[in-house]
Amino acid sequence: MAEKIKSQTSGLDTPRTARTRWLPRLSPNPDAFGHATENFARFMGTPQFLVYMTVFCAVWLAWNTWGPEPLRFDQAALGFTVLTLMLSLQASYAAPLLLLAQNRQDDRDRVSVRQDRERAERNLMDTEYLTREIAELRIALREVATRDYVRSELRSLLEELLEANDSSDDGPSRRSQRRRPDNSGASAVIEHMPKLNPGGREN
């Protein structure tokens, strides 16, 4: 029974115990390291870096060529080996730093492109919604009565009422009296109205 339990617990589904590490695990802050890397890569792409590098190499070569012989640390006979190693070390570190900065820039570009795509999709949806609303308003306005239509309907209704009223009258005299307005009252009112001077005063 014990052998059976031991065989079951020693399978692939059993996690393995963690190994002891001789060195501590390095976990630098990726944001801080990436920011420093981008600053260094940005500085390497400036004219100041090229000028400083040129001045450094010129001073190095001049000192090891014409300087005091006991104080020379890089022999010209050996082809300036130390300077060559330093430049190679710088190039070996500069390439990964530039790649890391480029990767971070690609990540930012990817995020900005995704945000632009989402914004464009929202704008398209808003435009489609507004287009549908405008189409519904146009369809609704087709069924609304216009001012000219209401006027024509009222005019036709008034004509029908006048015809019905005229047909109900007995004689044509009353009909003519109704159609001929009496202007005597209006003329009397006009005569009794006060007259105004050009200055706006009553006489």
mmCIF file with all atom_site columns, all heavy atoms in Angstrom, residues 10 23-24 36 43 50-51 72 74-75 94 106 115-116 118 127 145 151 157 169 175-176 180-181 184 189 191-192:
data_model
loop_
_atom_site.group_PDB
_atom_site.id
_atom_site.type_symbol
_atom_site.label_atom_id
_atom_site.label_alt_id
_atom_site.label_comp_id
_atom_site.label_asym_id
_atom_site.label_entity_id
_atom_site.label_seq_id
_atom_site.pdbx_PDB_ins_code
_atom_site.Cartn_x
_atom_site.Cartn_y
_atom_site.Cartn_z
_atom_site.occupancy
_atom_site.B_iso_or_equiv
_atom_site.pdbx_formal_charge
_atom_site.auth_seq_id
_atom_site.auth_comp_id
_atom_site.auth_asym_id
_atom_site.auth_atom_id
_atom_site.pdbx_PDB_model_num
ATOM 1   N N   . SER A 1 10  ? 4.877   10.437  -6.856  1.00 0.00 ? 10  SER A N   1
ATOM 2   C CA  . SER A 1 10  ? 6.112   10.738  -7.591  1.00 0.00 ? 10  SER A CA  1
ATOM 3   C C   . SER A 1 10  ? 5.862   10.854  -9.085  1.00 0.00 ? 10  SER A C   1
ATOM 4   O O   . SER A 1 10  ? 6.777   10.672  -9.876  1.00 0.00 ? 10  SER A O   1
ATOM 5   C CB  . SER A 1 10  ? 7.159   9.642   -7.329  1.00 0.00 ? 10  SER A CB  1
ATOM 6   O OG  . SER A 1 10  ? 6.666   8.400   -7.809  1.00 0.00 ? 10  SER A OG  1
ATOM 7   N N   . LEU A 1 23  ? 23.014  32.585  -6.030  1.00 0.00 ? 23  LEU A N   1
ATOM 8   C CA  . LEU A 1 23  ? 23.018  34.037  -6.206  1.00 0.00 ? 23  LEU A CA  1
ATOM 9   C C   . LEU A 1 23  ? 21.596  34.570  -6.079  1.00 0.00 ? 23  LEU A C   1
ATOM 10  O O   . LEU A 1 23  ? 20.648  33.895  -6.476  1.00 0.00 ? 23  LEU A O   1
ATOM 11  C CB  . LEU A 1 23  ? 23.588  34.420  -7.580  1.00 0.00 ? 23  LEU A CB  1
ATOM 12  C CG  . LEU A 1 23  ? 25.058  34.048  -7.825  1.00 0.00 ? 23  LEU A CG  1
ATOM 13  C CD1 . LEU A 1 23  ? 25.452  34.378  -9.259  1.00 0.00 ? 23  LEU A CD1 1
ATOM 14  C CD2 . LEU A 1 23  ? 25.978  34.777  -6.842  1.00 0.00 ? 23  LEU A CD2 1
ATOM 15  N N   . PRO A 1 24  ? 21.427  35.741  -5.534  1.00 0.00 ? 24  PRO A N   1
ATOM 16  C CA  . PRO A 1 24  ? 20.056  36.300  -5.427  1.00 0.00 ? 24  PRO A CA  1
ATOM 17  C C   . PRO A 1 24  ? 19.514  36.632  -6.810  1.00 0.00 ? 24  PRO A C   1
ATOM 18  O O   . PRO A 1 24  ? 20.249  36.983  -7.733  1.00 0.00 ? 24  PRO A O   1
ATOM 19  C CB  . PRO A 1 24  ? 20.261  37.563  -4.576  1.00 0.00 ? 24  PRO A CB  1
ATOM 20  C CG  . PRO A 1 24  ? 21.683  37.943  -4.794  1.00 0.00 ? 24  PRO A CG  1
ATOM 21  C CD  . PRO A 1 24  ? 22.442  36.635  -4.968  1.00 0.00 ? 24  PRO A CD  1
ATOM 22  N N   . ALA A 1 36  ? 15.797  54.809  -18.159 1.00 0.00 ? 36  ALA A N   1
ATOM 23  C CA  . ALA A 1 36  ? 17.229  55.126  -18.234 1.00 0.00 ? 36  ALA A CA  1
ATOM 24  C C   . ALA A 1 36  ? 17.813  54.685  -19.572 1.00 0.00 ? 36  ALA A C   1
ATOM 25  O O   . ALA A 1 36  ? 18.656  55.380  -20.161 1.00 0.00 ? 36  ALA A O   1
ATOM 26  C CB  . ALA A 1 36  ? 17.966  54.450  -17.078 1.00 0.00 ? 36  ALA A CB  1
ATOM 27  N N   . PHE A 1 43  ? 20.562  60.002  -25.925 1.00 0.00 ? 43  PHE A N   1
ATOM 28  C CA  . PHE A 1 43  ? 21.807  60.778  -25.859 1.00 0.00 ? 43  PHE A CA  1
ATOM 29  C C   . PHE A 1 43  ? 22.824  60.278  -26.884 1.00 0.00 ? 43  PHE A C   1
ATOM 30  O O   . PHE A 1 43  ? 23.577  61.068  -27.451 1.00 0.00 ? 43  PHE A O   1
ATOM 31  C CB  . PHE A 1 43  ? 22.386  60.695  -24.442 1.00 0.00 ? 43  PHE A CB  1
ATOM 32  C CG  . PHE A 1 43  ? 23.724  61.350  -24.311 1.00 0.00 ? 43  PHE A CG  1
ATOM 33  C CD1 . PHE A 1 43  ? 23.846  62.730  -24.369 1.00 0.00 ? 43  PHE A CD1 1
ATOM 34  C CD2 . PHE A 1 43  ? 24.871  60.586  -24.136 1.00 0.00 ? 43  PHE A CD2 1
ATOM 35  C CE1 . PHE A 1 43  ? 25.090  63.344  -24.248 1.00 0.00 ? 43  PHE A CE1 1
ATOM 36  C CE2 . PHE A 1 43  ? 26.109  61.185  -24.021 1.00 0.00 ? 43  PHE A CE2 1
ATOM 37  C CZ  . PHE A 1 43  ? 26.224  62.571  -24.075 1.00 0.00 ? 43  PHE A CZ  1
ATOM 38  N N   . LEU A 1 50  ? 28.599  62.407  -30.240 1.00 0.00 ? 50  LEU A N   1
ATOM 39  C CA  . LEU A 1 50  ? 29.634  62.200  -31.257 1.00 0.00 ? 50  LEU A CA  1
ATOM 40  C C   . LEU A 1 50  ? 30.828  63.118  -31.021 1.00 0.00 ? 50  LEU A C   1
ATOM 41  O O   . LEU A 1 50  ? 31.991  62.701  -31.168 1.00 0.00 ? 50  LEU A O   1
ATOM 42  C CB  . LEU A 1 50  ? 29.043  62.437  -32.641 1.00 0.00 ? 50  LEU A CB  1
ATOM 43  C CG  . LEU A 1 50  ? 27.922  61.480  -33.068 1.00 0.00 ? 50  LEU A CG  1
ATOM 44  C CD1 . LEU A 1 50  ? 27.377  61.884  -34.423 1.00 0.00 ? 50  LEU A CD1 1
ATOM 45  C CD2 . LEU A 1 50  ? 28.427  60.044  -33.093 1.00 0.00 ? 50  LEU A CD2 1
ATOM 46  N N   . VAL A 1 51  ? 30.565  64.358  -30.625 1.00 0.00 ? 51  VAL A N   1
ATOM 47  C CA  . VAL A 1 51  ? 31.673  65.291  -30.356 1.00 0.00 ? 51  VAL A CA  1
ATOM 48  C C   . VAL A 1 51  ? 32.476  64.825  -29.162 1.00 0.00 ? 51  VAL A C   1
ATOM 49  O O   . VAL A 1 51  ? 33.731  64.804  -29.198 1.00 0.00 ? 51  VAL A O   1
ATOM 50  C CB  . VAL A 1 51  ? 31.119  66.714  -30.152 1.00 0.00 ? 51  VAL A CB  1
ATOM 51  C CG1 . VAL A 1 51  ? 32.221  67.660  -29.677 1.00 0.00 ? 51  VAL A CG1 1
ATOM 52  C CG2 . VAL A 1 51  ? 30.517  67.245  -31.449 1.00 0.00 ? 51  VAL A CG2 1
ATOM 53  N N   . ARG A 1 72  ? 52.419  56.208  -20.582 1.00 0.00 ? 72  ARG A N   1
ATOM 54  C CA  . ARG A 1 72  ? 51.524  55.667  -21.601 1.00 0.00 ? 72  ARG A CA  1
ATOM 55  C C   . ARG A 1 72  ? 50.934  54.346  -21.124 1.00 0.00 ? 72  ARG A C   1
ATOM 56  O O   . ARG A 1 72  ? 51.657  53.464  -20.654 1.00 0.00 ? 72  ARG A O   1
ATOM 57  C CB  . ARG A 1 72  ? 52.270  55.446  -22.919 1.00 0.00 ? 72  ARG A CB  1
ATOM 58  C CG  . ARG A 1 72  ? 52.814  56.714  -23.547 1.00 0.00 ? 72  ARG A CG  1
ATOM 59  C CD  . ARG A 1 72  ? 53.602  56.399  -24.800 1.00 0.00 ? 72  ARG A CD  1
ATOM 60  N NE  . ARG A 1 72  ? 54.264  57.598  -25.340 1.00 0.00 ? 72  ARG A NE  1
ATOM 61  C CZ  . ARG A 1 72  ? 55.090  57.583  -26.385 1.00 0.00 ? 72  ARG A CZ  1
ATOM 62  N NH1 . ARG A 1 72  ? 55.355  56.438  -27.015 1.00 0.00 ? 72  ARG A NH1 1
ATOM 63  N NH2 . ARG A 1 72  ? 55.651  58.713  -26.788 1.00 0.00 ? 72  ARG A NH2 1
ATOM 64  N N   . ASP A 1 74  ? 48.520  52.642  -23.171 1.00 0.00 ? 74  ASP A N   1
ATOM 65  C CA  . ASP A 1 74  ? 48.070  51.895  -24.349 1.00 0.00 ? 74  ASP A CA  1
ATOM 66  C C   . ASP A 1 74  ? 49.105  52.107  -25.440 1.00 0.00 ? 74  ASP A C   1
ATOM 67  O O   . ASP A 1 74  ? 49.230  53.198  -25.988 1.00 0.00 ? 74  ASP A O   1
ATOM 68  C CB  . ASP A 1 74  ? 46.694  52.373  -24.805 1.00 0.00 ? 74  ASP A CB  1
ATOM 69  C CG  . ASP A 1 74  ? 46.068  51.425  -25.826 1.00 0.00 ? 74  ASP A CG  1
ATOM 70  O OD1 . ASP A 1 74  ? 46.632  50.335  -26.046 1.00 0.00 ? 74  ASP A OD1 1
ATOM 71  O OD2 . ASP A 1 74  ? 45.012  51.778  -26.398 1.00 0.00 ? 74  ASP A OD2 1
ATOM 72  N N   . GLN A 1 75  ? 49.854  51.070  -25.726 1.00 0.00 ? 75  GLN A N   1
ATOM 73  C CA  . GLN A 1 75  ? 50.958  51.201  -26.652 1.00 0.00 ? 75  GLN A CA  1
ATOM 74  C C   . GLN A 1 75  ? 50.448  51.312  -28.090 1.00 0.00 ? 75  GLN A C   1
ATOM 75  O O   . GLN A 1 75  ? 49.567  50.562  -28.520 1.00 0.00 ? 75  GLN A O   1
ATOM 76  C CB  . GLN A 1 75  ? 51.891  49.987  -26.528 1.00 0.00 ? 75  GLN A CB  1
ATOM 77  C CG  . GLN A 1 75  ? 52.540  49.833  -25.152 1.00 0.00 ? 75  GLN A CG  1
ATOM 78  C CD  . GLN A 1 75  ? 53.468  50.997  -24.846 1.00 0.00 ? 75  GLN A CD  1
ATOM 79  O OE1 . GLN A 1 75  ? 54.122  51.563  -25.751 1.00 0.00 ? 75  GLN A OE1 1
ATOM 80  N NE2 . GLN A 1 75  ? 53.551  51.371  -23.562 1.00 0.00 ? 75  GLN A NE2 1
ATOM 81  N N   . ALA A 1 94  ? 25.793  49.035  -26.419 1.00 0.00 ? 94  ALA A N   1
ATOM 82  C CA  . ALA A 1 94  ? 24.916  50.028  -27.050 1.00 0.00 ? 94  ALA A CA  1
ATOM 83  C C   . ALA A 1 94  ? 23.839  49.356  -27.900 1.00 0.00 ? 94  ALA A C   1
ATOM 84  O O   . ALA A 1 94  ? 22.694  49.829  -27.937 1.00 0.00 ? 94  ALA A O   1
ATOM 85  C CB  . ALA A 1 94  ? 25.736  50.988  -27.910 1.00 0.00 ? 94  ALA A CB  1
ATOM 86  N N   . ASP A 1 106 ? 8.088   50.694  -29.711 1.00 0.00 ? 106 ASP A N   1
ATOM 87  C CA  . ASP A 1 106 ? 7.108   49.898  -30.458 1.00 0.00 ? 106 ASP A CA  1
ATOM 88  C C   . ASP A 1 106 ? 5.881   49.591  -29.608 1.00 0.00 ? 106 ASP A C   1
ATOM 89  O O   . ASP A 1 106 ? 4.748   49.599  -30.115 1.00 0.00 ? 106 ASP A O   1
ATOM 90  C CB  . ASP A 1 106 ? 7.751   48.597  -30.940 1.00 0.00 ? 106 ASP A CB  1
ATOM 91  C CG  . ASP A 1 106 ? 8.816   48.843  -32.003 1.00 0.00 ? 106 ASP A CG  1
ATOM 92  O OD1 . ASP A 1 106 ? 8.793   49.926  -32.628 1.00 0.00 ? 106 ASP A OD1 1
ATOM 93  O OD2 . ASP A 1 106 ? 9.676   47.954  -32.190 1.00 0.00 ? 106 ASP A OD2 1
ATOM 94  N N   . GLN A 1 115 ? -5.511  52.628  -29.409 1.00 0.00 ? 115 GLN A N   1
ATOM 95  C CA  . GLN A 1 115 ? -6.392  53.693  -28.944 1.00 0.00 ? 115 GLN A CA  1
ATOM 96  C C   . GLN A 1 115 ? -6.984  54.473  -30.110 1.00 0.00 ? 115 GLN A C   1
ATOM 97  O O   . GLN A 1 115 ? -8.168  54.831  -30.092 1.00 0.00 ? 115 GLN A O   1
ATOM 98  C CB  . GLN A 1 115 ? -5.634  54.631  -28.006 1.00 0.00 ? 115 GLN A CB  1
ATOM 99  C CG  . GLN A 1 115 ? -5.248  53.994  -26.673 1.00 0.00 ? 115 GLN A CG  1
ATOM 100 C CD  . GLN A 1 115 ? -4.434  54.929  -25.804 1.00 0.00 ? 115 GLN A CD  1
ATOM 101 O OE1 . GLN A 1 115 ? -4.062  56.024  -26.243 1.00 0.00 ? 115 GLN A OE1 1
ATOM 102 N NE2 . GLN A 1 115 ? -4.158  54.515  -24.583 1.00 0.00 ? 115 GLN A NE2 1
ATOM 103 N N   . ASP A 1 116 ? -6.175  54.738  -31.128 1.00 0.00 ? 116 ASP A N   1
ATOM 104 C CA  . ASP A 1 116 ? -6.703  55.434  -32.310 1.00 0.00 ? 116 ASP A CA  1
ATOM 105 C C   . ASP A 1 116 ? -7.765  54.599  -33.016 1.00 0.00 ? 116 ASP A C   1
ATOM 106 O O   . ASP A 1 116 ? -8.780  55.137  -33.486 1.00 0.00 ? 116 ASP A O   1
ATOM 107 C CB  . ASP A 1 116 ? -5.561  55.752  -33.283 1.00 0.00 ? 116 ASP A CB  1
ATOM 108 C CG  . ASP A 1 116 ? -4.585  56.779  -32.719 1.00 0.00 ? 116 ASP A CG  1
ATOM 109 O OD1 . ASP A 1 116 ? -4.973  57.507  -31.783 1.00 0.00 ? 116 ASP A OD1 1
ATOM 110 O OD2 . ASP A 1 116 ? -3.436  56.827  -33.204 1.00 0.00 ? 116 ASP A OD2 1
ATOM 111 N N   . GLU A 1 118 ? -9.728  52.352  -31.580 1.00 0.00 ? 118 GLU A N   1
ATOM 112 C CA  . GLU A 1 118 ? -10.940 52.388  -30.758 1.00 0.00 ? 118 GLU A CA  1
ATOM 113 C C   . GLU A 1 118 ? -11.653 53.731  -30.900 1.00 0.00 ? 118 GLU A C   1
ATOM 114 O O   . GLU A 1 118 ? -12.892 53.781  -30.965 1.00 0.00 ? 118 GLU A O   1
ATOM 115 C CB  . GLU A 1 118 ? -10.570 52.130  -29.296 1.00 0.00 ? 118 GLU A CB  1
ATOM 116 C CG  . GLU A 1 118 ? -10.072 50.715  -29.030 1.00 0.00 ? 118 GLU A CG  1
ATOM 117 C CD  . GLU A 1 118 ? -9.625  50.531  -27.598 1.00 0.00 ? 118 GLU A CD  1
ATOM 118 O OE1 . GLU A 1 118 ? -9.622  51.555  -26.845 1.00 0.00 ? 118 GLU A OE1 1
ATOM 119 O OE2 . GLU A 1 118 ? -9.269  49.403  -27.214 1.00 0.00 ? 118 GLU A OE2 1
ATOM 120 N N   . THR A 1 127 ? -21.290 58.482  -35.704 1.00 0.00 ? 127 THR A N   1
ATOM 121 C CA  . THR A 1 127 ? -21.736 59.003  -36.995 1.00 0.00 ? 127 THR A CA  1
ATOM 122 C C   . THR A 1 127 ? -22.914 58.202  -37.537 1.00 0.00 ? 127 THR A C   1
ATOM 123 O O   . THR A 1 127 ? -23.886 58.778  -38.061 1.00 0.00 ? 127 THR A O   1
ATOM 124 C CB  . THR A 1 127 ? -20.569 58.976  -37.995 1.00 0.00 ? 127 THR A CB  1
ATOM 125 O OG1 . THR A 1 127 ? -19.463 59.693  -37.452 1.00 0.00 ? 127 THR A OG1 1
ATOM 126 C CG2 . THR A 1 127 ? -20.978 59.598  -39.316 1.00 0.00 ? 127 THR A CG2 1
ATOM 127 N N   . ALA A 1 145 ? -47.666 68.540  -41.311 1.00 0.00 ? 145 ALA A N   1
ATOM 128 C CA  . ALA A 1 145 ? -48.328 69.476  -42.216 1.00 0.00 ? 145 ALA A CA  1
ATOM 129 C C   . ALA A 1 145 ? -47.554 70.782  -42.265 1.00 0.00 ? 145 ALA A C   1
ATOM 130 O O   . ALA A 1 145 ? -47.207 71.349  -41.223 1.00 0.00 ? 145 ALA A O   1
ATOM 131 C CB  . ALA A 1 145 ? -49.757 69.741  -41.745 1.00 0.00 ? 145 ALA A CB  1
ATOM 132 N N   . ARG A 1 151 ? -52.742 76.447  -44.633 1.00 0.00 ? 151 ARG A N   1
ATOM 133 C CA  . ARG A 1 151 ? -53.440 77.603  -45.199 1.00 0.00 ? 151 ARG A CA  1
ATOM 134 C C   . ARG A 1 151 ? -54.416 77.193  -46.303 1.00 0.00 ? 151 ARG A C   1
ATOM 135 O O   . ARG A 1 151 ? -55.548 77.683  -46.375 1.00 0.00 ? 151 ARG A O   1
ATOM 136 C CB  . ARG A 1 151 ? -52.425 78.602  -45.743 1.00 0.00 ? 151 ARG A CB  1
ATOM 137 C CG  . ARG A 1 151 ? -51.724 79.405  -44.653 1.00 0.00 ? 151 ARG A CG  1
ATOM 138 C CD  . ARG A 1 151 ? -50.760 80.406  -45.262 1.00 0.00 ? 151 ARG A CD  1
ATOM 139 N NE  . ARG A 1 151 ? -50.136 81.221  -44.237 1.00 0.00 ? 151 ARG A NE  1
ATOM 140 C CZ  . ARG A 1 151 ? -49.227 82.163  -44.496 1.00 0.00 ? 151 ARG A CZ  1
ATOM 141 N NH1 . ARG A 1 151 ? -48.840 82.374  -45.764 1.00 0.00 ? 151 ARG A NH1 1
ATOM 142 N NH2 . ARG A 1 151 ? -48.699 82.879  -43.517 1.00 0.00 ? 151 ARG A NH2 1
ATOM 143 N N   . LEU A 1 157 ? -61.748 75.219  -46.501 1.00 0.00 ? 157 LEU A N   1
ATOM 144 C CA  . LEU A 1 157 ? -62.813 75.069  -45.502 1.00 0.00 ? 157 LEU A CA  1
ATOM 145 C C   . LEU A 1 157 ? -63.631 76.344  -45.380 1.00 0.00 ? 157 LEU A C   1
ATOM 146 O O   . LEU A 1 157 ? -64.875 76.310  -45.263 1.00 0.00 ? 157 LEU A O   1
ATOM 147 C CB  . LEU A 1 157 ? -62.209 74.684  -44.161 1.00 0.00 ? 157 LEU A CB  1
ATOM 148 C CG  . LEU A 1 157 ? -63.178 74.445  -43.005 1.00 0.00 ? 157 LEU A CG  1
ATOM 149 C CD1 . LEU A 1 157 ? -64.143 73.310  -43.325 1.00 0.00 ? 157 LEU A CD1 1
ATOM 150 C CD2 . LEU A 1 157 ? -62.410 74.143  -41.722 1.00 0.00 ? 157 LEU A CD2 1
ATOM 151 N N   . ASP A 1 169 ? -79.120 81.266  -47.422 1.00 0.00 ? 169 ASP A N   1
ATOM 152 C CA  . ASP A 1 169 ? -79.843 82.556  -47.501 1.00 0.00 ? 169 ASP A CA  1
ATOM 153 C C   . ASP A 1 169 ? -80.997 82.447  -48.500 1.00 0.00 ? 169 ASP A C   1
ATOM 154 O O   . ASP A 1 169 ? -80.927 81.701  -49.476 1.00 0.00 ? 169 ASP A O   1
ATOM 155 C CB  . ASP A 1 169 ? -78.886 83.667  -47.909 1.00 0.00 ? 169 ASP A CB  1
ATOM 156 C CG  . ASP A 1 169 ? -77.874 83.938  -46.814 1.00 0.00 ? 169 ASP A CG  1
ATOM 157 O OD1 . ASP A 1 169 ? -78.149 83.564  -45.646 1.00 0.00 ? 169 ASP A OD1 1
ATOM 158 O OD2 . ASP A 1 169 ? -76.789 84.495  -47.130 1.00 0.00 ? 169 ASP A OD2 1
ATOM 159 N N   . ARG A 1 175 ? -77.658 88.385  -49.857 1.00 0.00 ? 175 ARG A N   1
ATOM 160 C CA  . ARG A 1 175 ? -76.351 87.869  -50.246 1.00 0.00 ? 175 ARG A CA  1
ATOM 161 C C   . ARG A 1 175 ? -75.472 88.991  -50.769 1.00 0.00 ? 175 ARG A C   1
ATOM 162 O O   . ARG A 1 175 ? -74.282 89.093  -50.456 1.00 0.00 ? 175 ARG A O   1
ATOM 163 C CB  . ARG A 1 175 ? -76.509 86.790  -51.311 1.00 0.00 ? 175 ARG A CB  1
ATOM 164 C CG  . ARG A 1 175 ? -75.217 86.097  -51.670 1.00 0.00 ? 175 ARG A CG  1
ATOM 165 C CD  . ARG A 1 175 ? -75.482 85.063  -52.752 1.00 0.00 ? 175 ARG A CD  1
ATOM 166 N NE  . ARG A 1 175 ? -76.569 84.157  -52.329 1.00 0.00 ? 175 ARG A NE  1
ATOM 167 C CZ  . ARG A 1 175 ? -77.119 83.265  -53.136 1.00 0.00 ? 175 ARG A CZ  1
ATOM 168 N NH1 . ARG A 1 175 ? -76.746 83.184  -54.399 1.00 0.00 ? 175 ARG A NH1 1
ATOM 169 N NH2 . ARG A 1 175 ? -78.075 82.471  -52.689 1.00 0.00 ? 175 ARG A NH2 1
ATOM 170 N N   . SER A 1 176 ? -76.095 89.913  -51.597 1.00 0.00 ? 176 SER A N   1
ATOM 171 C CA  . SER A 1 176 ? -75.300 91.020  -52.123 1.00 0.00 ? 176 SER A CA  1
ATOM 172 C C   . SER A 1 176 ? -74.931 91.992  -51.027 1.00 0.00 ? 176 SER A C   1
ATOM 173 O O   . SER A 1 176 ? -73.857 92.582  -51.026 1.00 0.00 ? 176 SER A O   1
ATOM 174 C CB  . SER A 1 176 ? -76.088 91.725  -53.233 1.00 0.00 ? 176 SER A CB  1
ATOM 175 O OG  . SER A 1 176 ? -77.309 92.255  -52.690 1.00 0.00 ? 176 SER A OG  1
ATOM 176 N N   . ARG A 1 180 ? -71.257 93.090  -50.214 1.00 0.00 ? 180 ARG A N   1
ATOM 177 C CA  . ARG A 1 180 ? -70.848 94.485  -50.353 1.00 0.00 ? 180 ARG A CA  1
ATOM 178 C C   . ARG A 1 180 ? -70.711 95.083  -48.964 1.00 0.00 ? 180 ARG A C   1
ATOM 179 O O   . ARG A 1 180 ? -71.687 95.308  -48.264 1.00 0.00 ? 180 ARG A O   1
ATOM 180 C CB  . ARG A 1 180 ? -71.903 95.264  -51.150 1.00 0.00 ? 180 ARG A CB  1
ATOM 181 C CG  . ARG A 1 180 ? -72.004 94.825  -52.587 1.00 0.00 ? 180 ARG A CG  1
ATOM 182 C CD  . ARG A 1 180 ? -73.089 95.590  -53.298 1.00 0.00 ? 180 ARG A CD  1
ATOM 183 N NE  . ARG A 1 180 ? -73.248 95.141  -54.666 1.00 0.00 ? 180 ARG A NE  1
ATOM 184 C CZ  . ARG A 1 180 ? -74.184 95.607  -55.499 1.00 0.00 ? 180 ARG A CZ  1
ATOM 185 N NH1 . ARG A 1 180 ? -75.058 96.518  -55.041 1.00 0.00 ? 180 ARG A NH1 1
ATOM 186 N NH2 . ARG A 1 180 ? -74.262 95.164  -56.731 1.00 0.00 ? 180 ARG A NH2 1
ATOM 187 N N   . PRO A 1 181 ? -69.531 95.348  -48.558 1.00 0.00 ? 181 PRO A N   1
ATOM 188 C CA  . PRO A 1 181 ? -69.345 95.889  -47.203 1.00 0.00 ? 181 PRO A CA  1
ATOM 189 C C   . PRO A 1 181 ? -69.796 97.324  -47.169 1.00 0.00 ? 181 PRO A C   1
ATOM 190 O O   . PRO A 1 181 ? -69.670 98.080  -48.121 1.00 0.00 ? 181 PRO A O   1
ATOM 191 C CB  . PRO A 1 181 ? -67.838 95.753  -46.980 1.00 0.00 ? 181 PRO A CB  1
ATOM 192 C CG  . PRO A 1 181 ? -67.249 95.768  -48.334 1.00 0.00 ? 181 PRO A CG  1
ATOM 193 C CD  . PRO A 1 181 ? -68.257 95.100  -49.232 1.00 0.00 ? 181 PRO A CD  1
ATOM 194 N N   . SER A 1 184 ? -69.757 103.134 -44.811 1.00 0.00 ? 184 SER A N   1
ATOM 195 C CA  . SER A 1 184 ? -70.194 104.385 -44.190 1.00 0.00 ? 184 SER A CA  1
ATOM 196 C C   . SER A 1 184 ? -69.698 104.488 -42.755 1.00 0.00 ? 184 SER A C   1
ATOM 197 O O   . SER A 1 184 ? -69.236 105.543 -42.317 1.00 0.00 ? 184 SER A O   1
ATOM 198 C CB  . SER A 1 184 ? -71.718 104.487 -44.236 1.00 0.00 ? 184 SER A CB  1
ATOM 199 O OG  . SER A 1 184 ? -72.292 103.385 -43.539 1.00 0.00 ? 184 SER A OG  1
ATOM 200 N N   . VAL A 1 189 ? -65.941 106.872 -38.817 1.00 0.00 ? 189 VAL A N   1
ATOM 201 C CA  . VAL A 1 189 ? -64.886 106.725 -37.795 1.00 0.00 ? 189 VAL A CA  1
ATOM 202 C C   . VAL A 1 189 ? -63.644 107.466 -38.193 1.00 0.00 ? 189 VAL A C   1
ATOM 203 O O   . VAL A 1 189 ? -62.975 108.119 -37.397 1.00 0.00 ? 189 VAL A O   1
ATOM 204 C CB  . VAL A 1 189 ? -64.604 105.235 -37.544 1.00 0.00 ? 189 VAL A CB  1
ATOM 205 C CG1 . VAL A 1 189 ? -63.399 105.072 -36.650 1.00 0.00 ? 189 VAL A CG1 1
ATOM 206 C CG2 . VAL A 1 189 ? -65.815 104.564 -36.920 1.00 0.00 ? 189 VAL A CG2 1
ATOM 207 N N   . GLU A 1 191 ? -63.516 110.126 -40.114 1.00 0.00 ? 191 GLU A N   1
ATOM 208 C CA  . GLU A 1 191 ? -63.731 111.573 -39.997 1.00 0.00 ? 191 GLU A CA  1
ATOM 209 C C   . GLU A 1 191 ? -63.615 112.030 -38.560 1.00 0.00 ? 191 GLU A C   1
ATOM 210 O O   . GLU A 1 191 ? -63.143 113.142 -38.279 1.00 0.00 ? 191 GLU A O   1
ATOM 211 C CB  . GLU A 1 191 ? -65.120 111.926 -40.553 1.00 0.00 ? 191 GLU A CB  1
ATOM 212 C CG  . GLU A 1 191 ? -65.207 111.779 -42.069 1.00 0.00 ? 191 GLU A CG  1
ATOM 213 C CD  . GLU A 1 191 ? -66.610 112.088 -42.569 1.00 0.00 ? 191 GLU A CD  1
ATOM 214 O OE1 . GLU A 1 191 ? -67.480 112.341 -41.691 1.00 0.00 ? 191 GLU A OE1 1
ATOM 215 O OE2 . GLU A 1 191 ? -66.824 112.038 -43.792 1.00 0.00 ? 191 GLU A OE2 1
ATOM 216 N N   . HIS A 1 192 ? -64.078 111.218 -37.602 1.00 0.00 ? 192 HIS A N   1
ATOM 217 C CA  . HIS A 1 192 ? -64.036 111.619 -36.195 1.00 0.00 ? 192 HIS A CA  1
ATOM 218 C C   . HIS A 1 192 ? -62.673 111.403 -35.571 1.00 0.00 ? 192 HIS A C   1
ATOM 219 O O   . HIS A 1 192 ? -62.484 111.799 -34.424 1.00 0.00 ? 192 HIS A O   1
ATOM 220 C CB  . HIS A 1 192 ? -65.091 110.827 -35.391 1.00 0.00 ? 192 HIS A CB  1
ATOM 221 C CG  . HIS A 1 192 ? -66.493 111.278 -35.688 1.00 0.00 ? 192 HIS A CG  1
ATOM 222 N ND1 . HIS A 1 192 ? -66.996 112.505 -35.274 1.00 0.00 ? 192 HIS A ND1 1
ATOM 223 C CD2 . HIS A 1 192 ? -67.505 110.670 -36.384 1.00 0.00 ? 192 HIS A CD2 1
ATOM 224 C CE1 . HIS A 1 192 ? -68.252 112.627 -35.688 1.00 0.00 ? 192 HIS A CE1 1
ATOM 225 N NE2 . HIS A 1 192 ? -68.590 111.518 -36.363 1.00 0.00 ? 192 HIS A NE2 1
#
